[in-house]
Coordinates of all heavy atoms in Angstrom, one line a residue:
L1 N -14.4 -5.0 12.4 CA -14.3 -4.2 11.1 C -14.7 -2.8 11.4 O -15.6 -2.2 10.7 CB -15.2 -4.9 10.1 CG -14.8 -6.3 9.7 CD1 -15.7 -6.9 8.6 CD2 -13.3 -6.4 9.3
S2 N -14.0 -2.1 12.3 CA -14.2 -0.7 12.5 C -12.8 -0.1 13.0 O -12.1 -0.8 13.8 CB -15.3 -0.4 13.5 OG -15.0 -1.0 14.8
G3 N -12.5 1.0 12.6 CA -11.3 1.7 13.0 C -11.6 3.0 13.7 O -12.6 3.7 13.3
D4 N -10.7 3.4 14.6 CA -11.0 4.7 15.3 C -10.3 5.8 14.7 O -10.4 7.0 15.1 CB -10.5 4.5 16.8 CG -9.0 4.1 16.9 OD1 -8.4 4.0 15.8 OD2 -8.6 4.0 18.0
R5 N -9.6 5.6 13.6 CA -8.9 6.7 12.9 C -8.7 6.3 11.4 O -8.8 5.1 11.1 CB -7.5 7.0 13.5 CG -6.6 5.8 13.5 CD -5.4 6.0 14.4 NE -4.5 4.8 14.4 CZ -3.5 4.7 13.6 NH1 -3.1 5.7 12.9 NH2 -2.7 3.6 13.6
G6 N -8.5 7.3 10.6 CA -8.4 7.0 9.2 C -8.5 8.2 8.3 O -8.4 9.3 8.8
F7 N -8.6 8.0 7.0 CA -8.7 9.1 6.1 C -9.5 8.8 4.9 O -9.8 7.6 4.6 CB -7.2 9.5 5.6 CG -6.5 8.4 5.0 CD1 -6.5 8.2 3.6 CD2 -5.8 7.4 5.7 CE1 -5.8 7.2 3.0 CE2 -5.1 6.4 5.1 CZ -5.1 6.3 3.7
E8 N -9.9 9.8 4.1 CA -10.6 9.6 2.9 C -9.8 10.2 1.7 O -9.3 11.3 1.9 CB -12.0 10.3 3.0 CG -12.9 10.1 1.8 CD -14.3 10.7 2.1 OE1 -14.7 10.9 3.3 OE2 -15.0 10.9 1.1
I9 N -9.8 9.5 0.6 CA -9.0 10.0 -0.5 C -9.6 9.5 -1.8 O -10.4 8.6 -1.8 CB -7.5 9.4 -0.4 CG1 -6.6 10.0 -1.4 CG2 -7.6 7.9 -0.5 CD1 -5.1 9.6 -1.2
A10 N -9.3 10.2 -2.9 CA -9.9 9.8 -4.2 C -9.4 8.4 -4.6 O -8.2 8.1 -4.5 CB -9.5 10.8 -5.3
S11 N -10.2 7.5 -5.1 CA -9.9 6.2 -5.4 C -8.8 6.1 -6.5 O -7.9 5.3 -6.5 CB -11.1 5.4 -5.9 OG -11.7 5.9 -7.0
D12 N -8.9 7.0 -7.5 CA -7.9 7.0 -8.6 C -6.5 7.4 -8.2 O -5.5 6.9 -8.7 CB -8.4 7.8 -9.8 CG -8.6 9.3 -9.4 OD1 -8.8 9.6 -8.2 OD2 -8.7 10.1 -10.4
V13 N -6.4 8.3 -7.2 CA -5.1 8.7 -6.6 C -4.5 7.5 -5.9 O -3.3 7.2 -6.1 CB -5.3 9.9 -5.7 CG1 -4.0 10.2 -5.0 CG2 -5.8 11.1 -6.4
L14 N -5.3 6.8 -5.0 CA -4.7 5.7 -4.3 C -4.3 4.6 -5.2 O -3.2 4.0 -5.1 CB -5.8 5.2 -3.3 CG -5.3 4.1 -2.4 CD1 -4.1 4.4 -1.6 CD2 -6.5 3.7 -1.4
K15 N -5.1 4.3 -6.3 CA -4.8 3.3 -7.2 C -3.5 3.6 -8.0 O -2.6 2.7 -8.2 CB -5.9 3.2 -8.3 CG -5.7 2.1 -9.3 CD -6.9 2.1 -10.3 CE -6.7 1.0 -11.3 NZ -5.5 1.2 -12.2
D16 N -3.3 4.9 -8.3 CA -2.1 5.3 -9.0 C -0.8 5.1 -8.1 O 0.2 4.6 -8.6 CB -2.2 6.8 -9.4 CG -1.0 7.3 -10.2 OD1 -0.7 6.7 -11.3 OD2 -0.3 8.2 -9.7
M17 N -1.0 5.4 -6.8 CA 0.2 5.2 -5.9 C 0.5 3.8 -5.7 O 1.7 3.4 -5.8 CB -0.2 5.8 -4.5 CG -0.5 7.3 -4.6 SD 1.0 8.3 -4.9 CE 1.7 8.4 -3.2
I18 N -0.5 2.9 -5.6 CA -0.2 1.5 -5.5 C 0.5 1.0 -6.8 O 1.5 0.2 -6.7 CB -1.5 0.7 -5.3 CG1 -2.1 1.0 -3.9 CG2 -1.3 -0.8 -5.4 CD1 -3.5 0.5 -3.6
G19 N 0.0 1.4 -7.9 CA 0.6 1.0 -9.2 C 2.1 1.4 -9.3 O 2.9 0.7 -10.0
K20 N 2.5 2.5 -8.7 CA 3.9 3.0 -8.9 C 4.9 2.2 -8.0 O 6.1 2.2 -8.3 CB 3.9 4.4 -8.5 CG 3.4 5.4 -9.5 CD 3.7 6.8 -9.1 CE 3.5 7.9 -10.2 NZ 2.1 7.9 -10.7
V21 N 4.4 1.4 -7.0 CA 5.3 0.7 -6.1 C 5.2 -0.8 -6.0 O 6.0 -1.5 -5.5 CB 5.3 1.3 -4.7 CG1 5.5 2.8 -4.7 CG2 3.9 1.0 -4.0
S22 N 4.1 -1.3 -6.6 CA 3.8 -2.7 -6.4 C 4.9 -3.7 -6.9 O 5.1 -4.7 -6.4 CB 2.5 -3.1 -7.2 OG 1.4 -2.5 -6.5
H23 N 5.6 -3.3 -8.0 CA 6.6 -4.2 -8.5 C 7.8 -4.3 -7.7 O 8.7 -5.2 -7.9 CB 7.1 -3.6 -9.9 CG 7.8 -2.3 -9.9 ND1 7.1 -1.1 -9.8 CD2 9.1 -2.0 -9.9 CE1 8.0 -0.1 -9.7 NE2 9.2 -0.7 -9.8
S24 N 8.0 -3.5 -6.6 CA 9.2 -3.6 -5.8 C 8.9 -4.2 -4.4 O 9.7 -4.2 -3.5 CB 9.8 -2.2 -5.5 OG 10.3 -1.7 -6.7
I25 N 7.7 -4.9 -4.3 CA 7.4 -5.5 -3.0 C 7.9 -7.0 -3.1 O 7.7 -7.7 -4.0 CB 5.8 -5.5 -2.8 CG1 5.3 -4.1 -2.7 CG2 5.5 -6.3 -1.6 CD1 3.8 -4.0 -2.6
A26 N 8.6 -7.4 -2.0 CA 9.2 -8.7 -2.0 C 8.1 -9.7 -1.7 O 7.1 -9.5 -1.0 CB 10.2 -8.8 -0.8
E27 N 8.2 -10.9 -2.4 CA 7.2 -12.0 -2.2 C 7.6 -12.8 -1.0 O 6.7 -13.2 -0.2 CB 7.1 -12.8 -3.4 CG 6.5 -12.1 -4.6 CD 6.3 -12.9 -5.8 OE1 6.5 -14.2 -5.7 OE2 5.9 -12.4 -6.9
N28 N 8.8 -13.1 -0.8 CA 9.3 -13.9 0.3 C 10.6 -13.3 0.8 O 11.5 -13.1 0.1 CB 9.6 -15.4 -0.1 CG 8.3 -16.1 -0.5 OD1 7.4 -16.3 0.2 ND2 8.3 -16.4 -1.8
D29 N 10.6 -12.9 2.1 CA 11.7 -12.3 2.7 C 11.7 -12.5 4.2 O 10.7 -12.6 4.8 CB 11.7 -10.8 2.4 CG 13.1 -10.1 2.6 OD1 13.5 -9.9 3.7 OD2 13.8 -9.9 1.6
S30 N 12.9 -12.6 4.8 CA 13.0 -12.8 6.2 C 12.6 -11.6 7.0 O 12.3 -11.7 8.2 CB 14.4 -13.3 6.6 OG 15.4 -12.3 6.2
R31 N 12.5 -10.5 6.3 CA 12.1 -9.2 6.9 C 10.6 -9.0 6.4 O 10.4 -8.5 5.3 CB 13.0 -8.1 6.5 CG 14.4 -8.2 7.0 CD 15.4 -7.4 6.2 NE 15.5 -7.9 4.9 CZ 16.3 -7.4 3.9 NH1 17.1 -6.3 4.2 NH2 16.4 -7.9 2.7
P32 N 9.7 -9.2 7.3 CA 8.3 -9.1 6.8 C 7.9 -7.7 6.3 O 7.1 -7.7 5.4 CB 7.5 -9.4 8.1 CG 8.4 -10.2 9.0 CD 9.8 -9.7 8.6
S33 N 8.5 -6.7 6.8 CA 8.1 -5.3 6.3 C 8.4 -5.2 4.8 O 7.7 -4.4 4.1 CB 8.9 -4.3 7.1 OG 10.3 -4.4 6.9
L34 N 9.4 -5.9 4.2 CA 9.7 -5.8 2.8 C 8.6 -6.5 1.9 O 8.6 -6.3 0.7 CB 11.0 -6.3 2.5 CG 12.2 -5.6 3.1 CD1 13.5 -6.1 2.6 CD2 12.2 -4.1 3.0

């Protein structure tokens, strides 16, 4: 549970970004990246 790289960002900004795209994420797909 440690990473050698990363970033720091405001929690409300990250939450807003997640909210804008969550509805388009596939639940089951042969392409894992989707």
Side-chain angles (χ1 to χ4, degrees):
L1 298 180
S2 62
D4 57 1
R5 59 196 181 96
F7 59 94
E8 185 172 342
I9 190 171
S11 61
D12 57 343
V13 172
L14 183 56
K15 180 180 183 297
D16 183 61
M17 297 291 277
I18 292 172
K20 282 183 167 68
V21 303
S22 291
H23 66 279
S24 293
I25 296 174
E27 294 184 7
N28 296 293
D29 197 284
S30 58
R31 295 158 292 180
S33 63
L34 297 190

